Amino acid sequence: MTTSKKPKVAILMGSESDLSVMQKASDTLKRLGIEHRMAVASAHRTPKLVHDLVASAEAEGVEVFICAAGMAAHLGGVVAGQTVKPVIGVPLNSKLDGLDALLATVQMPRGVPVATVAIDGAENAATLAAQILGTSDKKVAERLAGERATNRASLTEKAKTMWEAAA
Amino acid sequence: MTTSKKPKVAILMGSESDLSVMQKASDTLKRLGIEHRMAVASAHRTPKLVHDLVASAEAEGVEVFICAAGMAAHLGGVVAGQTVKPVIGVPLNSKLDGLDALLATVQMPRGVPVATVAIDGAENAATLAAQILGTSDKKVAERLAGERATNRASLTEKAKTMWEAAA
Amino acid sequence: MTTSKKPKVAILMGSESDLSVMQKASDTLKRLGIEHRMAVASAHRTPKLVHDLVASAEAEGVEVFICAAGMAAHLGGVVAGQTVKPVIGVPLNSKLDGLDALLATVQMPRGVPVATVAIDGAENAATLAAQILGTSDKKVAERLAGERATNRASLTEKAKTMWEAAA
Amino acid sequence: MTTSKKPKVAILMGSESDLSVMQKASDTLKRLGIEHRMAVASAHRTPKLVHDLVASAEAEGVEVFICAAGMAAHLGGVVAGQTVKPVIGVPLNSKLDGLDALLATVQMPRGVPVATVAIDGAENAATLAAQILGTSDKKVAERLAGERATNRASLTEKAKTMWEAAA
Amino acid sequence: MTTSKKPKVAILMGSESDLSVMQKASDTLKRLGIEHRMAVASAHRTPKLVHDLVASAEAEGVEVFICAAGMAAHLGGVVAGQTVKPVIGVPLNSKLDGLDALLATVQMPRGVPVATVAIDGAENAATLAAQILGTSDKKVAERLAGERATNRASLTEKAKTMWEAAA
Amino acid sequence: MTTSKKPKVAILMGSESDLSVMQKASDTLKRLGIEHRMAVASAHRTPKLVHDLVASAEAEGVEVFICAAGMAAHLGGVVAGQTVKPVIGVPLNSKLDGLDALLATVQMPRGVPVATVAIDGAENAATLAAQILGTSDKKVAERLAGERATNRASLTEKAKTMWEAAA
Amino acid sequence: MTTSKKPKVAILMGSESDLSVMQKASDTLKRLGIEHRMAVASAHRTPKLVHDLVASAEAEGVEVFICAAGMAAHLGGVVAGQTVKPVIGVPLNSKLDGLDALLATVQMPRGVPVATVAIDGAENAATLAAQILGTSDKKVAERLAGERATNRASLTEKAKTMWEAAA
Amino acid sequence: MTTSKKPKVAILMGSESDLSVMQKASDTLKRLGIEHRMAVASAHRTPKLVHDLVASAEAEGVEVFICAAGMAAHLGGVVAGQTVKPVIGVPLNSKLDGLDALLATVQMPRGVPVATVAIDGAENAATLAAQILGTSDKKVAERLAGERATNRASLTEKAKTMWEAAA
């Protein structure tokens, strides 16, 4: 169901331990047929790697970046400082319930936004990436709309059964 | 410098008092030549209006929604529940330094992301909207890259002068 | 001990996983003899379902809504935007100790209140619903007063034993 | 436009300085034609007064209590411990942006709910009181529905003008 | 080692489940030879019991109250409103890491202080009670000073061994 | 109205700028006829001074210490580490609404309590000091009880007038 | 009183508006006779400038970096990722009382520390830089010790006067 | 690989239970060949011990102090008040996710900085200590640079493999 061989989305995360959460972003993109790349790259430990991956991702045709990090989560901001492609930030919970990562991701200064999703919101980052691609890729938009309609119908069905059961 | 007569972005805000902050989003879009619409529409006080505006915006060709609200900021989430277009949320500060609006905007459940920017981040919402449009509109992407380069050059110039002055 | 066959209270919750907490609201209403309905319905995933359930609940005679949701908890606000019946909000803890859900539920704008109870306060939501119904239904008020008196007497008894034991 | 000479709502507040905020609750009730009483009574400085006022209010026919307090806001909880009528709590902002009052009001234990509205939400407390009375008083319910419809129509009108002006 | 048969300290707590934490306050008082009473009494569920226990405790000679509660912790404030004896508040952690109970205990208005100790600080509440009694009871003061000196000597001994081991 | 020429309370504060808040503690003690000393002494800038003042205060007969500090408020803890007299901590608001000072004051480890009052609660610190002295000084206890009764009567009077005016 | 013509400290800040706070860091270094450089350089808006300044600062002999930024304060972390010299972070207050900048500065991952000082703590950043240089530069260490002793003596003098005045 | 027999770093912690976290600071220093001492010493329970250890550490040649404490974490501040050597603070998580310890450590007043690292950041405290020593000890600086380069190379290698695997 892949729409293209060239990657459209790059998923970067600050530490290997983030992989268990971020795999879900990859799975969601796969389900939506969106080609993507994934790597562990830290704004602090491997800044040049981050720089190189962003540059090579852009060269390969990546249109959206997903950056996940915990604690003083700088990855999204650093990537956003290097590209004018949309950058989605996923704050990860490792300390303080993820509040540190949330504030470090979302509170970006003027001119350099990071599109922040919920704490540990890997799947929503992928969905948002798909929505962005969907603004120009009809197939992706249709898949998103289709999934939502199916999901909605099934939830509605269950809800009505539950509602009436209580009656 | 307008690229199109059809609006590409819709700016919605929960209350008339939000206009002083959100005017900057409109100004930024104007500067970037992006046609847009703007309205006050509340998820709570005028839910049907929100529904109708989203529907008519989509019909007019809007590709990105910017939703700004304070306190229990539900506008972004409600719009995101109605469309699969990307929805950008701007948490506005009216109480609790805007922490209430930030959490009410960003902590969306699976399947329905809101791309959240900083508290009162009206300009960044517009920049992010432009970045999203720029994934398929080369002119917008070039303007963003151009602005950033110009801005960067001028800041770099100033910084070097300052650095050497201190020498 | 049911006072009426027509439901007086509707319990809505944003996700199936909320059921383990919210079952206690249903149990409490049952214990107080208050007919009610219950369903999973999300402000974001199934907004039309929410709309339809509220409309049909009002048609069936529901006088109080209980809405439980976690994270960016919008369900209470969305229901409160559709009805002028009292809406009780139960913020559920799934992230940030429930602070996100609390703020997203309680910080409602002028004209559209949500009567918020404690984080995960399912039983208190039911008690509050009963208190509201009790303003016009003497039997319910008497049951509430009776339960409280019984409970108070038993606690007082225990406390006195404990107090004197320490003497 | 008063519906009854007997008071239906009692507004209590912890300190004289709360009056500037809480007057709006009284004004809202007046606008809705709901007879009410108001007094300054502190859970800490004048506990017996609180006790006496609650007792006499109940004797006079009061069906709903509105309790407003700041800081360690105990008034709502103390009143809720004395009556099984619904008690609405208004957390007032004097320190810590009102977070202290919010938590001290809303986090009530099982069996003794306080229906909490937004920080400084005096008007919404009155609206909620009216909604509660409206469950058995058709006139009040109609006024609430009428106000909301009028308000909605006027906001919708303005929004459409704004939307089209931007076109 | 008991200094008196008449109780000097009363320990009240809001719920039976608080006993596991508060037993340590009782144990500490016992170790210091301070006669005391203990009971479960809730500001909300059994307000009259609280009132009666405070009155009878004062009559029996109690000089210091220790009040422990979680969530919207009102017990300390309510007792402080009834007596001019010093009242020590112990905020208990049940939700929000105990931040709700801390703020609800410490943020008391002018004229009615509650001497607040750390979250779940049962032992420190007992120590503080002993310090207060020690201002007029030399034996208690001496025991406190003795314990501290012993404790200090033993910690200092261990620390020096550790310090030199590392050398 | 002074009860004794020897000071019973020492008020220490971390910085000269704290004097405007803490003067109220001194005024309250004066009003209650309690002899006291006051000084600016910092746990960080003048630790030896703190040590010397505590020693000389104890030698002069001081029974209660009041320690006020902002930010990383260590003064109370440091004094509590030197004496087994009760130490009252007043967290002062200079940053973060005083939350930093509150947590740095109240969260003391086992064995070394600081009796913490509200943020900027200078008067309550003095009242609490008086309550502590009142456990063995009948005159002070009577003044406290007298003040409270007078205050209560006057508030009750006003409240009744207000209540009936609304009738 | 300058100890060297080659700069020992570089002060970087994220935005021109930070200069009013950070000038105090420069003034403090000047007072201590420590040669330094200062520039505005943003981790997001001018990442290459940050990189170049750090490289040229290291080449010029800079031993300590001071990095000040507000909101999602990434500057300290980004500089710390490029050098193994000590990096001091100053979180600046522009939103949320500076809590966002504090967490984004201090919560650094393993291997890349940022030595964080208080919110808006420009002078302490300079003092800490001097303390670090003082570990190998005796003159700087002596100046620091001298300043502290002088300061301590003057504060102690004042405190004693105040203490006795109250007597 | 030890560079010197005289200790360069002293690690102090407030309680024996902190040892499991702080052992990692010692291990890191050992790995970097930095001689150090370690002891449990509490600002509150053993203030004189803290004083003596700091004095003897300075006499032995210690250039950097690492101070770890939880809750109302005063140890760093107290040590910083006694020396003009750099003091590194490690806030430890025991309550409130470590937010109390963080604020009590970092929010130091003018003139007495504590270089604060992340909550439970024992290794980073050691790394920062090494960076400080590295400003005058070339060998330490080279080891730090070497470790970072090795670490970076290995992470970069892994990342590239992962990136291409996804291709």
Side-chain angles (χ1 to χ4, degrees):
Chain A
M1 195 167 89
T2 303
T3 57
S4 125
K5 269 328 189 15
K6 293 209 315 191
K8 289 297 186 190
V9 178
I11 304 174
L12 302 178
M13 68 205 79
S15 146
E16 222 166 326
S17 61
D18 304 338
L19 203 54
S20 63
V21 173
M22 293 312 296
Q23 184 59 46
K24 284 180 249 171
S26 174
D27 295 348
T28 302
L29 289 175
K30 213 170 286 172
R31 202 187 67 227
L32 290 162
I34 294 169
E35 192 72 12
H36 59 283
R37 293 278 177 284
M38 184 151 65
V40 175
S42 158
H44 307 116
R45 282 184 286 225
T46 54
K48 198 177 164 310
L49 174 64
V50 172
H51 186 273
D52 292 354
L53 288 178
V54 173
S56 90
E58 286 213 62
E60 287 186 77
V62 161
E63 293 293 346
V64 185
F65 290 87
I66 293 174
C67 297
M71 299 176 69
H74 297 187
L75 187 58
V78 161
V79 171
Q82 191 189 330
T83 180
V84 296
K85 302 287 181 199
V87 175
I88 297 168
V90 187
L92 298 177
N93 175 13
S94 62
K95 289 274 170 187
L96 290 166
D97 285 337
L99 188 65
D100 48 2
L102 171 57
L103 296 179
T105 301
V106 77
Q107 286 291 75
M108 290 291 293
R110 208 170 31 175
V112 197
V114 169
T116 305
V117 296
I119 296 168
D120 291 338
E123 281 151 308
N124 268 3
T127 302
L128 179 56
Q131 290 178 334
I132 290 171
L133 295 173
T135 60
S136 60
D137 181 336
K138 272 205 166 162
K139 275 194 197 154
V140 168
E142 275 160 18
R143 265 176 228 145
L144 283 166
E147 281 208 355
R148 188 174 281 189
T150 311
N151 187 28
R152 186 169 285 174
S154 118
L155 289 171
T156 302
E157 198 58 41
K158 276 203 231 175
K160 290 201 169 153
T161 311
M162 189 181 182
W163 185 259
E164 275 143 32
Chain B
M1 198 167 87
T2 304
T3 56
S4 126
K5 271 325 189 19
K6 295 211 311 192
K8 290 295 185 192
V9 177
I11 304 172
L12 302 179
M13 69 205 80
S15 145
E16 221 167 326
S17 62
D18 304 338
L19 203 54
S20 63
V21 173
M22 292 312 295
Q23 184 59 46
K24 284 181 249 172
S26 174
D27 295 347
T28 301
L29 290 174
K30 214 171 284 171
R31 202 187 65 227
L32 290 163
I34 295 168
E35 193 73 9
H36 59 282
R37 292 281 178 280
M38 185 152 63
V40 175
S42 158
H44 307 114
R45 281 182 286 226
T46 54
K48 196 175 166 310
L49 173 65
V50 172
H51 186 275
D52 292 353
L53 287 178
V54 173
S56 89
E58 285 213 61
E60 287 186 77
V62 161
E63 293 293 347
V64 184
F65 290 87
I66 294 174
C67 296
M71 299 176 69
H74 297 186
L75 187 58
V78 161
V79 171
Q82 191 188 335
T83 180
V84 294
K85 301 288 180 196
V87 175
I88 298 168
V90 187
L92 298 177
N93 175 12
S94 62
K95 289 273 171 188
L96 290 167
D97 286 338
L99 188 66
D100 47 2
L102 172 57
L103 296 178
T105 301
V106 78
Q107 287 290 78
M108 290 291 293
R110 210 168 30 174
V112 197
V114 169
T116 305
V117 295
I119 295 168
D120 291 339
E123 281 151 306
N124 268 3
T127 300
L128 178 57
Q131 290 179 335
I132 290 170
L133 296 174
T135 59
S136 59
D137 180 337
K138 270 206 167 161
K139 273 195 199 152
V140 168
E142 275 161 18
R143 264 177 229 145
L144 283 167
E147 279 206 357
R148 189 176 280 190
T150 310
N151 187 28
R152 187 169 285 176
S154 120
L155 288 171
T156 302
E157 199 59 40
K158 275 203 231 172
K160 291 203 167 150
T161 311
M162 190 181 181
W163 185 259
E164 276 144 31
Chain C
M1 196 167 88
T2 302
T3 56
S4 125
K5 269 328 188 20
K6 292 210 314 189
K8 288 297 185 191
V9 178
I11 304 173
L12 302 179
M13 68 204 80
S15 146
E16 221 166 326
S17 61
D18 303 337
L19 202 54
S20 63
V21 174
M22 293 312 296
Q23 184 59 47
K24 284 180 249 171
S26 174
D27 295 348
T28 302
L29 290 174
K30 214 170 286 172
R31 201 188 66 227
L32 290 162
I34 294 168
E35 192 73 10
H36 59 283
R37 292 280 178 281
M38 183 151 65
V40 175
S42 159
H44 305 116
R45 282 183 286 226
T46 54
K48 199 178 163 308
L49 173 66
V50 172
H51 186 274
D52 292 353
L53 288 177
V54 173
S56 89
E58 286 212 61
E60 287 186 77
V62 161
E63 292 294 346
V64 185
F65 290 87
I66 293 175
C67 296
M71 298 176 70
H74 297 188
L75 187 59
V78 160
V79 171
Q82 191 188 331
T83 179
V84 296
K85 302 286 181 199
V87 176
I88 297 169
V90 187
L92 297 177
N93 176 13
S94 62
K95 289 272 170 189
L96 290 167
D97 286 337
L99 187 66
D100 47 2
L102 170 57
L103 296 178
T105 301
V106 78
Q107 286 291 78
M108 289 292 292
R110 210 169 30 174
V112 197
V114 169
T116 306
V117 296
I119 296 168
D120 290 338
E123 280 150 307
N124 267 3
T127 302
L128 178 57
Q131 290 178 336
I132 290 170
L133 295 173
T135 60
S136 60
D137 180 336
K138 270 207 167 163
K139 275 195 198 153
V140 169
E142 275 160 20
R143 266 177 227 144
L144 283 167
E147 281 207 356
R148 189 176 280 190
T150 311
N151 187 26
R152 187 169 285 175
S154 120
L155 289 171
T156 301
E157 200 58 41
K158 277 202 228 174
K160 290 202 168 150
T161 312
M162 188 180 181
W163 184 259
E164 275 143 33
Chain D
M1 196 166 88
T2 303
T3 57
S4 125
K5 268 330 191 12
K6 294 210 314 192
K8 290 295 185 191
V9 178
I11 304 173
L12 301 179
M13 68 204 82
S15 148
E16 221 167 327
S17 61
D18 303 338
L19 203 53
S20 64
V21 173
M22 293 312 295
Q23 184 58 47
K24 283 180 251 171
S26 174
D27 295 347
T28 302
L29 290 174
K30 213 170 287 172
R31 201 187 67 227
L32 291 162
I34 295 168
E35 192 72 11
H36 59 283
R37 292 280 179 280
M38 184 152 63
V40 175
S42 158
H44 307 117
R45 281 182 287 226
T46 54
K48 197 176 165 310
L49 173 65
V50 171
H51 186 275
D52 292 353
L53 288 178
V54 173
S56 91
E58 287 213 62
E60 287 185 77
V62 160
E63 293 293 347
V64 185
F65 290 88
I66 294 175
C67 296
M71 299 176 70
H74 298 186
L75 187 57
V78 161
V79 171
Q82 191 189 331
T83 180
V84 295
K85 300 288 182 198
V87 176
I88 298 169
V90 186
L92 297 177
N93 175 13
S94 62
K95 290 274 172 187
L96 290 168
D97 285 338
L99 188 66
D100 47 3
L102 172 57
L103 297 177
T105 301
V106 78
Q107 286 290 79
M108 291 291 292
R110 210 168 30 174
V112 197
V114 169
T116 306
V117 295
I119 296 167
D120 291 338
E123 282 150 308
N124 268 3
T127 301
L128 178 57
Q131 290 178 336
I132 291 170
L133 296 173
T135 60
S136 60
D137 181 335
K138 270 208 168 161
K139 272 195 200 153
V140 168
E142 274 160 20
R143 264 177 229 145
L144 282 168
E147 278 208 357
R148 188 175 280 190
T150 311
N151 187 27
R152 187 168 284 176
S154 119
L155 288 171
T156 302
E157 198 59 42
K158 274 204 231 173
K160 290 202 167 151
T161 311
M162 190 181 179
W163 184 259
E164 275 144 31
Chain E
M1 195 168 87
T2 303
T3 56
S4 124
K5 271 322 188 22
K6 294 210 314 191
K8 289 296 184 191
V9 177
I11 304 173
L12 302 179
M13 67 204 82
S15 147
E16 221 166 327
S17 62
D18 304 336
L19 203 54
S20 64
V21 173
M22 293 313 296
Q23 184 59 46
K24 285 179 247 172
S26 174
D27 296 347
T28 301
L29 289 174
K30 213 170 287 173
R31 201 187 66 228
L32 291 162
I34 295 168
E35 192 74 10
H36 59 282
R37 291 279 179 282
M38 185 152 63
V40 175
S42 157
H44 307 115
R45 281 183 287 225
T46 54
K48 198 176 164 309
L49 173 65
V50 172
H51 186 275
D52 292 354
L53 288 177
V54 173
S56 90
E58 286 212 62
E60 287 186 77
V62 161
E63 293 294 347
V64 185
F65 290 88
I66 293 175
C67 297
M71 297 176 70
H74 298 186
L75 186 59
V78 160
V79 171
Q82 191 187 332
T83 180
V84 296
K85 301 287 182 199
V87 176
I88 298 169
V90 186
L92 298 177
N93 175 13
S94 62
K95 288 273 172 187
L96 290 167
D97 286 337
L99 188 66
D100 48 2
L102 171 57
L103 296 178
T105 301
V106 78
Q107 287 289 79
M108 290 291 292
R110 210 168 30 175
V112 197
V114 169
T116 305
V117 296
I119 296 167
D120 289 338
E123 282 150 307
N124 268 3
T127 301
L128 178 57
Q131 291 178 336
I132 290 170
L133 296 173
T135 60
S136 60
D137 181 335
K138 269 207 167 161
K139 273 193 198 155
V140 168
E142 275 161 18
R143 265 177 227 145
L144 282 168
E147 281 208 354
R148 189 176 279 190
T150 311
N151 187 27
R152 187 169 284 176
S154 119
L155 289 171
T156 302
E157 199 59 42
K158 275 203 231 173
K160 290 204 168 149
T161 313
M162 189 181 180
W163 184 259
E164 275 143 33
Chain F
M1 197 167 88
T2 303
T3 56
S4 127
K5 269 327 189 17
K6 292 209 315 189
K8 289 295 186 191
V9 178
I11 304 173
L12 301 179
M13 69 204 81
S15 147
E16 220 166 326
S17 61
D18 303 337
L19 203 54
S20 63
V21 173
M22 294 311 297
Q23 184 58 47
K24 284 180 250 172
S26 174
D27 296 348
T28 302
L29 289 174
K30 214 171 285 171
R31 201 187 66 227
L32 290 162
I34 294 168
E35 192 72 10
H36 59 283
R37 293 281 178 280
M38 184 153 62
V40 175
S42 159
H44 307 116
R45 281 183 288 226
T46 55
K48 196 176 166 310
L49 173 64
V50 172
H51 186 274
D52 292 353
L53 288 178
V54 173
S56 90
E58 286 213 62
E60 287 185 78
V62 160
E63 293 293 347
V64 185
F65 290 87
I66 294 174
C67 297
M71 298 174 71
H74 298 185
L75 188 57
V78 161
V79 171
Q82 191 189 332
T83 181
V84 295
K85 301 289 181 196
V87 176
I88 298 168
V90 186
L92 298 177
N93 175 13
S94 62
K95 289 274 170 188
L96 290 166
D97 285 339
L99 187 66
D100 47 3
L102 171 57
L103 296 177
T105 300
V106 78
Q107 287 290 79
M108 289 293 292
R110 208 170 31 175
V112 197
V114 170
T116 305
V117 295
I119 295 168
D120 291 337
E123 282 150 307
N124 267 4
T127 301
L128 178 57
Q131 290 178 335
I132 291 170
L133 296 173
T135 60
S136 60
D137 181 336
K138 270 207 167 161
K139 273 195 198 154
V140 168
E142 275 161 18
R143 265 178 228 143
L144 283 168
E147 280 208 357
R148 188 174 280 190
T150 312
N151 187 28
R152 187 168 284 175
S154 120
L155 288 171
T156 302
E157 199 59 41
K158 274 203 231 175
K160 290 202 168 151
T161 312
M162 189 180 181
W163 184 259
E164 275 143 33
Chain G
M1 194 167 89
T2 305
T3 56
S4 128
K5 269 325 186 22
K6 292 211 314 190
K8 288 297 185 190
V9 178
I11 304 172
L12 301 179
M13 69 204 80
S15 146
E16 223 166 325
S17 61
D18 303 337
L19 203 54
S20 63
V21 173
M22 292 313 295
Q23 184 59 47
K24 283 179 250 173
S26 174
D27 295 348
T28 302
L29 289 174
K30 215 170 284 172
R31 202 188 67 227
L32 291 162
I34 293 168
E35 193 74 10
H36 59 283
R37 293 278 179 283
M38 184 151 63
V40 175
S42 158
H44 307 116
R45 281 183 287 226
T46 55
K48 196 175 165 311
L49 173 64
V50 171
H51 186 275
D52 292 354
L53 288 177
V54 173
S56 90
E58 286 212 62
E60 287 186 77
V62 160
E63 293 293 347
V64 184
F65 290 87
I66 294 174
C67 297
M71 300 175 69
H74 298 186
L75 188 57
V78 160
V79 171
Q82 191 188 333
T83 181
V84 295
K85 302 287 180 197
V87 175
I88 298 168
V90 187
L92 298 178
N93 174 12
S94 61
K95 288 272 170 188
L96 289 166
D97 285 338
L99 188 66
D100 47 2
L102 172 58
L103 296 178
T105 300
V106 78
Q107 286 292 77
M108 290 292 293
R110 209 170 30 175
V112 197
V114 169
T116 305
V117 296
I119 295 168
D120 291 337
E123 282 150 307
N124 267 4
T127 301
L128 178 57
Q131 291 179 335
I132 290 170
L133 295 173
T135 60
S136 60
D137 181 336
K138 270 206 166 163
K139 273 192 199 156
V140 168
E142 276 160 19
R143 264 178 229 144
L144 283 167
E147 278 206 359
R148 189 175 279 190
T150 311
N151 187 28
R152 187 169 283 176
S154 120
L155 288 171
T156 302
E157 199 59 40
K158 274 202 232 175
K160 291 203 168 151
T161 312
M162 190 181 181
W163 184 259
E164 275 143 32
Chain H
M1 199 166 85
T2 304
T3 56
S4 127
K5 271 327 191 19
K6 295 210 312 192
K8 289 296 185 190
V9 178
I11 303 173
L12 302 178
M13 68 205 80
S15 147
E16 221 167 326
S17 62
D18 304 336
L19 202 55
S20 64
V21 173
M22 293 313 295
Q23 184 59 46
K24 284 180 249 172
S26 174
D27 296 347
T28 302
L29 289 174
K30 212 171 287 171
R31 200 187 68 226
L32 290 162
I34 294 169
E35 192 72 11
H36 59 281
R37 293 278 179 282
M38 186 151 65
V40 175
S42 158
H44 306 117
R45 281 183 286 226
T46 55
K48 198 176 164 310
L49 172 66
V50 172
H51 186 274
D52 292 353
L53 287 177
V54 173
S56 90
E58 285 213 61
E60 287 186 78
V62 160
E63 293 293 346
V64 185
F65 290 87
I66 293 174
C67 296
M71 297 177 71
H74 297 186
L75 187 58
V78 161
V79 171
Q82 191 188 332
T83 179
V84 296
K85 301 288 181 198
V87 176
I88 298 169
V90 186
L92 297 177
N93 175 13
S94 62
K95 288 273 171 188
L96 290 166
D97 286 337
L99 188 66
D100 48 2
L102 171 57
L103 296 179
T105 301
V106 77
Q107 286 291 77
M108 290 290 293
R110 210 169 30 176
V112 197
V114 169
T116 306
V117 295
I119 296 167
D120 291 338
E123 282 151 305
N124 268 2
T127 301
L128 179 57
Q131 290 178 335
I132 291 170
L133 295 173
T135 61
S136 60
D137 180 336
K138 271 207 167 162
K139 273 195 199 154
V140 168
E142 275 161 17
R143 265 177 228 144
L144 283 167
E147 281 207 356
R148 189 175 282 190
T150 310
N151 187 28
R152 186 169 286 175
S154 119
L155 289 171
T156 302
E157 199 59 41
K158 276 203 230 173
K160 290 202 169 152
T161 311
M162 189 181 181
W163 184 260
E164 275 144 32

